[in-house]
Amino acid sequence: MITIEELSTEEEVVKIFPLMKDLRPFLDEERFREIWRAMQPDGYRVYAMYDEGEIVAFTGIQIRTNMYYFRHVFVHELVTRPDIRSKGYGKHLLAFVHEWGREHGCVTVALESALSREDAHRFYEEKMDYDRFCYSFKKAL
């Protein structure tokens, strides 16, 4: 049985660290906890997907507002356990994010994906009907 639950305490959220480590290998658990705590005042939320009581995927989301997406859900992370990808978990979880966004007055879902994650790009474009429409740039300070 598949369920999706919000993880709201640090003790709950740390359970997704192994999956986060797959997406962000540069993080250690201490830094992960520190960043999670820093993101809380800005409304960052974590939802875990369970199958038969085991975490199989998670998403980290936040409501934002700007001049081009308006009120939107920003997906910081969407991760499925590597050994069970392509079984529909990501699609189910992202559909949950879409509905959650609608319920919270959002008009768009936005996310960024690293250039190297071509499988993820195919998933977003082909399975979830997302548009690739811009580049994101960064500069280390």
Side-chain angles (χ1 to χ4, degrees):
M1 179 171 159
I2 295 175
T3 60
I4 298 172
E5 298 175 19
E6 183 173 9
L7 307 181
S8 54
T9 68
E10 190 168 335
E11 292 72 31
E12 291 172 333
V13 170
V14 77
K15 293 175 185 176
I16 58 103
F17 179 71
L19 286 176
M20 180 68 83
K21 185 81 172 160
D22 182 61
L23 181 66
R24 314 240 187 265
F26 51 85
L27 284 179
D28 60 36
E29 188 176 317
E30 182 180 331
R31 185 77 169 126
F32 165 73
R33 288 173 179 261
E34 178 184 315
I35 293 170
W36 177 82
R37 286 190 300 265
M39 293 175 75
Q40 293 313 286
D42 294 325
Y44 177 74
R45 299 171 101 158
V46 173
Y47 288 89
M49 175 179 276
Y50 294 84
D51 191 351
E52 301 296 328
E54 185 178 339
I55 294 176
V56 294
F58 85 92
T59 188
I61 59 176
Q62 178 183 31
I63 292 178
R64 293 180 171 176
T65 303
N66 59 31
M67 298 293 182
Y68 47 97
Y69 294 139
F70 310 108
R71 183 175 171 88
H72 63 281
V73 179
F74 190 83
V75 179
H76 290 278
E77 297 89 20
L78 182 77
V79 184
T80 300
R81 219 173 66 203
D83 61 315
I84 54 171
R85 289 192 179 135
S86 299
K87 295 189 183 292
Y89 293 118
K91 187 173 185 176
H92 186 84
L93 189 55
L94 201 50
F96 166 83
V97 170
H98 297 167
E99 185 57 34
W100 185 93
R102 282 186 208 81
E103 290 172 3
H104 288 83
C106 297
V107 297
T108 306
V109 175
L111 57 84
E112 296 176 346
S113 181
L115 293 172
S116 62
R117 299 187 64 88
E118 293 177 2
D119 289 343
H121 304 166
R122 275 192 298 281
F123 167 72
Y124 294 125
E125 291 175 318
E126 295 173 13
K127 304 273 188 201
M128 300 306 297
D129 201 29
Y130 276 56
D131 297 321
R132 185 187 313 207
F133 72 100
C134 73
Y135 287 100
S136 183
F137 295 91
K138 69 176 186 172
K139 180 177 177 73
L141 300 178

